[in-house]
């Protein structure tokens, strides 16, 4: 059907295998590839989806089939990660947070509270943000978002994302890589924002720990100094 990058890395090999599914079993192969992309984010949907669109433009299957199967794959993959989040649960995450340096169980409580208030918006728009596309399903499972709501929001967000890239392959043909370049920019921005947020969290939490240790030392040393007789 089509060829991906000539790179022989394991990721390129996995991508080539995913694309070859479309040759073997048609649009269902695209759905399986996208389901795998949800569970294994390094597999780039922004490459698999245009390939499905390109195959549709060549008559291998219809555009409707490409959109239907890739969206179904997105939903299946999202529910797998939802199940992982449900298995983890709030209590288990609180126990883990209590053992991780610089984390507190209260951090989990605040995150869960935020997701209860804004989870619907997070799931819908998260399906259209690189990296978070898959990960957003885990907190949805942790908070036990109603399955019907999670399914509808995931389907709606995934359909928008999938349509953009499937149509890029369908309309642009071999020039679909133009869209991939813009997605790479967005992905880099997301990575930088996440990295800055992590650095800021570590800075603030480390500063709080140092300040607490100094306060504790001052309170401990004070009474001892008072017992020292005056010269």
């Amino acid at each position: 059907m089509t060829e991906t990058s000539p790179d022989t890395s394991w990721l390129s090999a996995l991508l080539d295998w995913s694309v070859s599914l479309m040759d073997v079993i048609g649009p269902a192969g695209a759905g399986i590839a996208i389901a795998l992309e949800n569970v294994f984010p390094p597999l780039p949907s922004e490459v698999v989806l245009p390939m499905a669109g390109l195959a549709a433009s060549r008559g291998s299957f219809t555009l409707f089939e490409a959109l239907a199967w890739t969206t179904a794959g997105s939903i299946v993959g999202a529910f797998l990660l939802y199940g992982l989040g449900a298995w983890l649960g709030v209590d288990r995450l609180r126990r883990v947070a209590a053992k991780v340096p610089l984390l507190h169980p209260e951090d989990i409580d605040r995150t869960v509270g935020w997701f209860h208030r804004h989870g619907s918006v997070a799931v819908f728009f998260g399906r259209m943000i690189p990296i978070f596309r898959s990960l957003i399903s885990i907190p949805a499972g942790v908070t036990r978002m109603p399955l019907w709501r999670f399914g509808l929001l995931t389907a709606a967000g995934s359909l928008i994302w999938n349509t953009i890239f499937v149509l890029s392959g369908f309309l642009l043909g071999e020039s679909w890589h133009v869209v991939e370049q813009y997605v790479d920019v967005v992905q880099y921005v997301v990575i930088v924002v996440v990295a800055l947020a992590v650095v800021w969290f570590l800075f603030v939490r480390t500063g709080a720990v140092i300040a607490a240790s100094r306060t504790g030392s001052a309170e401990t040393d004070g009474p001892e100094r008072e017992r020292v007789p005056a010269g």
Side-chain angles (χ1 to χ4, degrees):
M1 183 181 71
T2 56
E3 292 184 1
T4 56
S5 169
D7 180 16
T8 57
S9 69
W10 63 271
L11 182 57
S12 179
L14 179 59
L15 179 60
D16 289 338
W17 173 82
S18 300
V19 172
S20 70
L21 285 175
M22 299 180 215
D23 289 328
V24 178
I25 56 178
I32 293 172
I34 292 301
L36 292 175
E37 176 266 335
N38 278 262
V39 178
F40 188 66
L43 184 62
S45 64
E46 58 270 23
V47 174
V48 177
L49 290 170
M51 292 296 181
L54 183 57
S57 71
R58 294 176 173 177
S60 299
F61 39 80
T62 67
L63 180 61
F64 174 80
E65 288 177 316
L67 292 173
W69 278 97
T70 54
T71 301
S74 297
I75 295 171
V76 170
F79 268 107
L80 290 175
L81 291 181
Y82 179 100
L84 173 61
W87 174 80
L88 288 172
V90 176
D91 292 337
R92 182 176 279 109
L93 288 178
R94 292 184 87 257
R95 290 195 296 270
V96 171
K99 299 177 182 179
V100 176
L102 302 181
L103 285 181
H104 307 303
E106 293 76 14
D107 296 329
I108 303 300
D109 297 335
R110 283 191 290 270
T111 302
V112 168
W114 182 91
F115 203 87
H116 277 305
R117 295 190 300 272
H118 308 288
S120 296
V121 174
V123 170
F124 176 72
F125 287 103
R127 296 300 306 177
M128 294 174 273
I129 300 177
I131 301 175
F132 287 97
R133 276 176 38 76
S134 301
L135 299 180
I136 196 63
S137 301
I138 297 177
V142 170
T143 58
R144 301 298 179 96
M145 175 181 283
L147 294 175
W148 66 267
R149 182 187 304 165
F150 175 74
L152 287 177
L153 293 169
T154 298
S158 298
L159 180 59
I160 294 174
W161 175 270
N162 293 353
T163 299
I164 292 172
F165 288 98
V166 170
L167 283 179
S168 73
F170 187 84
L171 299 175
L172 298 177
E174 298 293 344
S175 300
W176 64 267
H177 291 281
V178 174
V179 177
E180 185 185 16
Q181 295 172 4
Y182 290 103
V183 176
D184 287 342
V185 173
V186 175
Q187 183 166 303
Y188 293 144
V189 170
V190 172
I191 292 174
V192 170
V193 170
V194 171
L196 290 176
V198 171
V199 170
W200 177 252
F201 173 82
L202 294 175
F203 174 78
V204 171
R205 191 55 59 88
T206 302
V209 171
I210 294 174
S213 65
R214 288 177 177 175
T215 301
S217 299
E219 292 176 352
T220 302
D221 294 342
E224 293 180 354
R225 290 196 183 100
E226 292 177 358
R227 288 196 296 269
V228 177

